[in-house]
Amino acid sequence: GNLRKTGDMATGQIGFHKKGEVRSTVIHARSNEIVNRLNKTKTEAHNNPRELADLSRELREHCMHGSLEHAQTCLKRGADVNVSDEDGSTPLHYAALLGSMPLATLLADRGADRSLKDGDGNTALHMCMELQNEAVAKVLIRRGSDVAMKNGNGDTPLDIAMSSGKIRDDEL
């Protein structure tokens, strides 16, 4: 073989006996679709709890303002998708409140717990029904939100939709 290893070389270092026989290949771009997808969803690991808490707070604040790009960045950096504020509202609650389908989709796809309730016992789906935000409600229902979960008033998302006139009994 053409590989050469001498005692004065560092661990993992190799050389070649005949450099003219060495073939090299330059890869300009990754063409592997699976690797590209993994790189898009790669998150950083955080060992510092304070850093993670700050990043998660940033995520919540970006969701309060509907900033999809900043939310994506926070999630890639390892923010907790289910972080809640003092009222129990999570980033998904804010996406529902704003009616942001892209933000709700991002958070749900990144593992946001759709069963978490705010201080009034409302899930993000309850908020969608209250605000008559059909697009975000569909995103949440398609990703497994419980339409029978009761809020602090004992109402389900379906009860709220029916009381607003959005859905009638004869449609069920």
Side-chain angles (χ1 to χ4, degrees):
N2 193 20
L3 290 178
R4 177 178 60 94
K5 176 77 174 165
T6 61
D8 63 336
M9 292 179 162
T11 303
Q13 183 180 9
I14 59 169
F16 300 98
H17 293 291
K18 300 175 188 171
K19 293 184 182 183
E21 292 182 14
V22 176
R23 293 185 207 160
S24 63
T25 303
V26 177
I27 300 173
H28 296 286
R30 289 188 177 135
S31 60
N32 185 328
E33 185 177 327
I34 294 170
V35 171
N36 290 339
R37 270 195 211 151
L38 288 172
N39 281 333
K40 285 182 183 176
T41 59
K42 183 169 58 175
T43 59
E44 296 177 16
H46 292 280
N47 295 329
N48 182 337
R50 183 179 177 138
E51 186 179 329
L52 179 58
D54 289 345
L55 188 59
S56 299
R57 183 180 36 73
E58 278 182 47
L59 170 64
R60 190 179 63 242
E61 289 174 7
H62 291 308
C63 290
M64 288 171 73
H65 297 100
S67 178
L68 180 65
E69 282 186 34
H70 289 106
Q72 286 173 322
T73 300
C74 288
L75 289 168
K76 282 185 179 183
R77 293 180 54 211
D80 178 3
V81 72
N82 292 313
V83 65
S84 61
D85 61 16
E86 59 278 351
D87 295 329
S89 295
T90 65
L92 190 57
H93 283 95
Y94 288 111
L97 187 63
L98 293 173
S100 175
M101 190 174 80
L103 195 53
T105 302
L106 170 72
L107 295 167
D109 288 349
R110 289 298 190 95
D113 187 342
R114 290 161 304 285
S115 67
L116 294 178
K117 296 180 178 183
D118 67 8
D120 296 324
N122 290 312
T123 64
L125 185 57
H126 284 96
M127 291 179 153
C128 288
M129 295 302 186
E130 185 73 38
L131 299 169
Q132 299 182 10
N133 188 326
E134 191 175 322
V136 175
K138 283 180 181 179
V139 167
L140 298 177
I141 292 169
R142 287 181 181 143
R143 285 166 174 76
S145 286
D146 186 353
V147 296
M149 186 175 284
K150 293 184 178 185
N151 66 8
N153 295 329
D155 295 323
T156 67
L158 188 57
D159 294 333
I160 295 169
M162 289 177 64
S163 70
S164 70
K166 192 73 174 164
I167 298 176
R168 297 184 315 269
D169 281 330
D170 61 353
E171 293 177 317
L172 297 176

